[in-house]
Amino acid sequence: MAFSLKGMNGIPFGSINPTEVKMSQIVMPCHSNHQQELSVGQLLKWMDSTACLSAERHAGSPCVTASMDDIHFEHTIRVGQVVNIRAKVNRAFNTSMEVGIHVICEDLFCGRHWRVCHAYATFVTQRTNTGKKVILKPIVPRTQKEQVEYSVAAERRRVRMVHDDIIKDLLSHGAIQHDDAVAAERTKVESVELVLPPHANHQVTTFGGQIMAWMVNVAVIAASRLCQAHPTLRTIDMFTFRGPSQVGDRLLLKTIVNNTFKNSMEVGVRAEAYQEEGSNRHINSAFMTFEVLDDHRKPRVLPRIRPEPLEGERRFQEAIARKKIRLDRKYIISCKQGEVPLSVPWDPRNQVYLSYNNVSALKMLAAKNSWRLSSEKNKVRLYTLEQKSMLSFRVESEVDVPAQRAFGLLAELSNRPSWDTHYQRCELIHQVDDDDFLYRVVTPSVCRGAVGCPTSASQGEGILQDFILLASKRMPCSHGDPYVIALRSVSLPTHPPTEHYNRGEVLCAGFTIHETQNNIYYNQASPEVIPYISTDIAGLSSSFYHIFCSCSQYLTKNRLQCVSQATNTDSHT
């Protein structure tokens, strides 16, 4: 079976996505709060409605909101302004799908537009009358941007599935200071809402957006009791709907301030549904971060909170864990490529987000459509991509080896020195889990005396270079997905730079392996290594070609080992 390393090509641009739904609403006084700003609860209802219509357009059947990823509100929206919401399905996973939601504010009088928030919601199909699940048809990306969203959606789904476990792993049990702290009991709010027909959707179940609107309302009251001012909602953490609610249900909403962090506070809200008879059903929990702005629109310092015993102390510690996750996501996932430092500190608490960033960065690099063919020799093709101060390159080759077998061979980074002359040594530092590994790689110096190379050694040709790499491997999520081996630099306290090696950094590198298409090696180079590889790109050296010939020979030589592990569905070309 032939495989190769490459990005997606041949995607038509300008096509209209059939799942895309747009909604525009002018903000009226009835939609606003006391400050003449759009209520976040009302915005959530509009977002949920738009996303649900998109999901149902793709599914052809009723859908319900299963979860919503973190939402960060960048701006407020005032009365008289227009809210433009666009939603479309990024990817379908058997019976669930991810819907991307973009919210833009428009000022009709000055012609300005600005982004308010961007969210990802997961919707699931409802069972048919016979009790069978509705199997969703796959999404076909039509543009480069849709291809990126489609590819990275699998990584976001992976993070959602382990989100609760991350919270548990991050729990700390440090001492809680009670001096001059406000008792959390003062912020406690309970409220009951009766679900009426206007609160339900066309399936006679309560709108997820309506439930979130009620939850925001009681959270604002709790936050106001602490700060005795009008708070501003900044973030809603990832949440999951645990069950449905119907017309006639009573929704009991319980909220309290869990913790405060100098300029922000976390408010937890729990929603329970019940009928006149029967026990309460826990249907949702949400965690919202508020700020209080002064007259200069700067966040005020907030009082500390004294939690209730037992459960309150648990919520207090969990709030610290969720703040850690928010900071990790902002630092690791949201930062722009090219920002320094490239090597993000690694520790077990941010491993999930580093792994996500590692794989998604490679997938986004692979999906770019502006690659230029620089040279070709015997079906080994070298492509380049220039973006600001970054130079990326990819090498395509085809080898008659089962893709699954090639994936296993290339993912074993310790064997790479046997075929890649750029890898003099490669030692496994730590196996994090079945998919993530930490390596130390030693290579010939790429600096050649260049000024400004990020090293601790004196500059000079002949000094070896070392890298601390996080290697993340991924099996295909569904048919047509590639096998992925992603590499990026991290920093480890146990392996600091030494005077005997130039410490190098890798921003984004790795392999994508397709079963029936080409397979490519990618690398994204920062400025200090560009002189090293420029001769290869100019065609003055054949080292790329020789290395990939060695790679091909290595894979071919080992293709028959454990051949029984290869799937029977592997096709051959």
Side-chain angles (χ1 to χ4, degrees):
M1 198 215 77
F3 77 87
S4 65
L5 302 157
K6 85 172 198 179
M8 297 290 186
N9 292 320
I11 300 172
F13 286 83
S15 304
I16 297 176
N17 188 311
T19 71
E20 184 172 294
V21 173
K22 296 180 180 179
M23 175 187 289
S24 293
Q25 297 277 359
I26 189 165
V27 180
M28 306 296 290
C30 61
H31 302 139
S32 66
N33 58 21
H34 58 282
Q35 294 176 310
Q36 296 298 296
E37 295 173 346
L38 173 64
S39 162
V40 173
Q42 180 62 61
L43 176 59
L44 289 171
K45 287 196 285 187
W46 288 339
M47 291 170 62
D48 184 65
S49 298
T50 309
C52 184
L53 291 173
S54 174
E56 292 186 342
R57 178 175 286 183
H58 178 69
S61 64
C63 297
V64 294
T65 313
S67 67
M68 186 83 75
D69 288 4
D70 297 0
I71 309 174
H72 176 69
F73 299 98
E74 301 177 22
H75 299 280
T76 56
I77 306 170
R78 301 196 63 81
V79 170
Q81 294 176 334
V82 173
V83 180
N84 296 306
I85 304 172
R86 178 170 56 88
K88 60 181 176 181
V89 179
N90 292 330
R91 184 161 183 166
F93 300 98
N94 199 16
T95 59
S96 68
M97 68 199 95
E98 179 190 277
V99 180
I101 310 166
H102 295 263
V103 181
I104 303 294
C105 182
E106 177 184 359
D107 191 313
L108 296 174
F109 301 103
C110 64
R112 290 178 57 239
H113 297 76
W114 57 91
R115 189 172 82 163
V116 175
C117 66
H118 180 204
Y120 297 101
T122 300
F123 283 80
V124 295
T125 55
Q126 291 192 328
R127 294 178 183 267
T128 63
N129 294 332
T130 59
K132 292 184 178 180
K133 293 182 177 180
V134 177
I135 305 301
L136 298 169
K137 60 183 180 291
I139 287 290
V140 180
R142 286 169 164 75
T143 66
Q144 177 194 345
K145 188 172 182 179
E146 288 180 5
Q147 176 59 50
V148 171
E149 293 285 13
Y150 175 90
S151 184
V152 180
E155 285 303 301
R156 286 191 289 264
R157 182 172 183 253
R158 180 187 179 95
V159 172
R160 291 181 200 114
M161 295 175 70
V162 299
H163 182 261
D164 290 343
D165 293 333
I166 297 172
I167 295 292
K168 293 176 183 177
D169 291 342
L170 287 176
L171 285 180
S172 79
H173 298 282
I176 301 174
Q177 296 182 352
H178 298 298
D179 296 339
D180 301 323
V182 177
E185 290 91 333
R186 285 181 48 186
T187 70
K188 186 181 294 185
V189 179
E190 286 194 7
S191 179
V192 176
E193 298 284 352
L194 175 62
V195 180
L196 299 173
H199 305 138
N201 57 24
H202 52 293
Q203 303 158 35
V204 200
T205 58
T206 316
F207 266 121
Q210 177 63 69
I211 296 174
M212 287 304 301
W214 284 332
M215 296 175 80
V216 169
N217 181 56
V218 293
V220 169
I221 298 173
S224 300
R225 286 182 176 175
L226 174 71
C227 61
Q228 297 181 331
H230 299 304
T232 299
L233 178 59
R234 289 302 186 198
T235 302
I236 301 177
D237 281 14
M238 182 186 299
F239 64 85
T240 301
F241 282 98
R242 302 169 182 265
S245 168
Q246 295 85 27
V247 171
D249 277 347
R250 281 73 168 167
L251 290 190
L252 175 61
L253 306 167
K254 303 177 180 180
T255 183
I256 194 170
V257 175
N258 290 333
N259 207 337
T260 57
F261 307 99
K262 189 177 179 180
N263 300 122
S264 66
M265 73 183 91
E266 181 193 277
V267 179
V269 189
R270 178 184 173 97
E272 299 175 355
Y274 65 94
Q275 296 282 346
E276 291 184 2
E277 298 180 356
S279 58
N280 290 14
R281 310 186 313 273
H282 179 198
I283 62 171
N284 194 7
S285 289
F287 304 95
M288 308 178 192
T289 303
F290 289 86
E291 292 178 343
V292 179
L293 304 181
D294 60 22
D295 295 337
H296 303 287
R297 305 298 293 176
K298 300 294 183 182
R300 276 175 34 185
V301 176
L302 299 175
R304 286 181 296 179
I305 201 80
R306 183 172 69 252
E308 298 175 302
L310 300 178
E311 283 299 301
E313 293 179 358
R314 176 187 61 80
R315 293 192 297 265
F316 184 95
Q317 301 293 353
E318 287 181 349
I320 297 173
R322 280 185 287 270
K323 183 186 179 186
K324 164 96 169 100
I325 288 178
R326 287 192 292 271
L327 293 176
D328 280 349
R329 288 174 65 87
K330 181 178 179 180
Y331 182 53
I332 297 171
I333 297 176
S334 302
C335 64
K336 297 179 180 179
Q337 292 191 2
E339 292 182 352
V340 291
L342 303 181
S343 298
V344 175
W346 185 92
D347 67 60
R349 296 178 298 176
N350 66 12
Q351 176 251 327
V352 171
Y353 298 100
L354 269 175
S355 179
Y356 165 87
N357 176 260
N358 193 16
V359 175
S360 60
L362 183 64
K363 287 184 173 183
M364 287 189 283
L365 181 63
K368 294 186 181 297
N369 66 336
S370 47
W371 291 95
R372 296 181 59 185
L373 179 64
S374 297
S375 63
E376 181 176 4
K377 182 177 182 180
N378 294 335
K379 296 185 179 181
V380 177
R381 295 171 289 276
L382 173 65
Y383 294 81
T384 58
L385 174 66
E386 295 184 41
Q387 292 178 300
K388 296 182 179 179
S389 61
M390 289 294 159
L391 175 63
S392 306
F393 62 93
R394 85 183 195 206
V395 183
E396 275 186 26
S397 65
E398 298 180 3
V399 183
D400 186 20
V401 175
Q404 185 176 357
R405 178 61 180 153
F407 172 69
L409 290 169
L410 293 176
E412 186 57 56
L413 221 61
S414 298
N415 292 336
R416 187 159 172 173
S418 66
W419 58 267
D420 189 348
T421 57
H422 291 132
Y423 274 53
Q424 290 194 358
R425 294 197 305 274
C426 183
E427 60 177 299
L428 177 63
I429 298 174
H430 176 54
Q431 180 174 341
V432 181
D433 52 32
D434 291 339
D435 296 321
D436 294 290
F437 307 81
L438 293 169
Y439 288 94
R440 177 175 178 263
V441 176
V442 177
T443 73
S445 175
V446 299
C447 292
R448 299 189 176 182
V451 176
C453 185
T455 69
S456 59
S458 58
Q459 303 297 328
E461 191 170 356
I463 295 180
L464 294 177
Q465 185 114 341
D466 72 341
F467 299 82
I468 306 299
L469 299 181
L470 170 65
S472 303
K473 63 179 185 179
R474 296 288 188 272
M475 299 281 285
C477 181
S478 60
H479 180 72
D481 280 356
Y483 294 83
V484 175
I485 305 164
L487 305 172
R488 68 155 296 158
S489 285
V490 295
S491 59
L492 283 175
T494 56
H495 290 72
T498 66
E499 61 181 8
H500 303 295
Y501 293 91
N502 289 328
R503 175 55 54 86
E505 293 182 310
V506 173
L507 177 61
C508 175
F511 296 90
T512 62
I513 304 170
H514 296 262
E515 290 188 349
T516 57
Q517 298 180 352
N518 291 332
N519 200 327
I520 303 174
Y521 170 74
Y522 294 89
N523 198 352
Q524 192 163 43
S526 48
E528 64 270 5
V529 302
I530 290 178
Y532 172 74
I533 63 175
S534 61
T535 54
D536 291 293
I537 294 173
L540 304 177
S541 170
S542 57
S543 66
F544 281 134
Y545 172 73
H546 289 307
I547 288 172
F548 269 77
C549 285
S550 298
C551 179
S552 175
Q553 293 169 6
Y554 165 73
L555 296 174
T556 303
K557 178 181 177 181
N558 293 280
R559 76 179 302 275
L560 297 178
Q561 298 180 16
C562 303
V563 71
S564 61
Q565 298 177 5
T567 59
N568 294 328
T569 57
D570 282 345
S571 59
H572 291 72
T573 59

